[in-house]
């Protein structure tokens, strides 16, 4: 019970950071894919990269860095986790669109949700974990 009590406030904070970044991601994706007619995969990559950058700066507020870790090392770790998260996001999107026929925006929201779980876990326990 103690670990849940310790992690819940950070999860709630990260949830709202993640929600804000997801909205940035979805809005940029919508503009690129629906308004500018950029195919869904390049639009998803661009929107994810923009929202990941916003997420990095907001996570610096929510999470504390490990002592002694250089900011560049932390940023590289965030980029690597982001690349894996992007792969998850794109894979879920492609699966939803190509195999299940979901609308692009619905598939994007689904992919973002799955990637959120991976991103939170990675940042909480590996990148920004104080231990």
């Amino acid at each position: 019970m103690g670990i849940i009590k310790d992690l819940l406030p950070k999860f709630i904070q990260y949830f709202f950071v993640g929600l804000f970044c997801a909205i940035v991601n979805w809005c940029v994706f919508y503009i690129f894919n629906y308004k500018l007619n950029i195919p869904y995969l390049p639009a998803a990559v661009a929107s994810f990269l923009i929202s990941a950058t916003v997420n990095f700066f907001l996570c610096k507020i929510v999470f504390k860095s490990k002592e002694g870790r250089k900011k560049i090392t932390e940023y590289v770790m965030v980029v690597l986790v982001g690349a894996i998260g992007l792969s998850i996001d794109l894979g879920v999107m492609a699966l939803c669109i190509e195999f299940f026929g979901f609308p692009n925006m619905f598939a994007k929201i689904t992919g973002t949700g799955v990637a959120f779980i991976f991103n939170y876990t990675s940042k909480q326990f590996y990148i920004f974990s104080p231990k």
Side-chain angles (χ1 to χ4, degrees):
M1 192 68 167
I3 194 164
I4 293 173
K5 186 178 177 182
D6 293 340
L7 292 177
L8 189 59
K10 288 293 179 200
F11 178 81
I12 291 169
Q13 288 174 319
Y14 185 74
F15 175 81
F16 284 107
V17 166
L19 180 61
F20 177 78
C21 293
I23 291 169
V24 168
N25 191 344
W26 299 333
C27 288
V28 172
F29 176 79
Y30 179 82
I31 291 167
F32 286 0
N33 186 242
Y34 286 88
K35 298 297 182 184
L36 300 177
N37 294 317
I38 296 172
Y40 76 87
L41 287 177
V45 170
S47 66
F48 186 88
L49 291 174
I50 290 167
S51 68
T53 301
V54 172
N55 188 277
F56 173 75
F57 289 110
L58 292 177
C59 279
K60 298 295 288 172
I61 297 167
V62 174
F63 296 112
K64 292 186 179 176
S65 298
K66 283 188 178 183
E67 287 186 36
R69 180 179 285 162
K70 294 180 180 179
K71 288 183 182 180
I72 189 69
T73 302
E74 200 167 76
Y75 184 74
V76 168
M77 291 175 75
V78 168
V79 168
L80 291 174
V81 165
I84 295 168
L86 174 60
S87 299
I88 292 168
D89 190 358
L90 294 176
V92 170
M93 275 188 70
L95 182 71
C96 289
I97 292 168
E98 302 299 332
F99 290 103
F100 298 115
F102 291 171
N104 290 3
M105 198 68 216
F106 182 79
K108 178 65 179 162
I109 292 168
T110 303
T112 302
V114 174
F116 169 85
I117 295 164
F118 171 78
N119 287 332
Y120 168 75
T121 304
S122 298
K123 288 173 184 167
Q124 174 66 47
F125 296 106
Y126 301 108
I127 297 175
F128 295 109
S129 174
K131 296 179 183 176

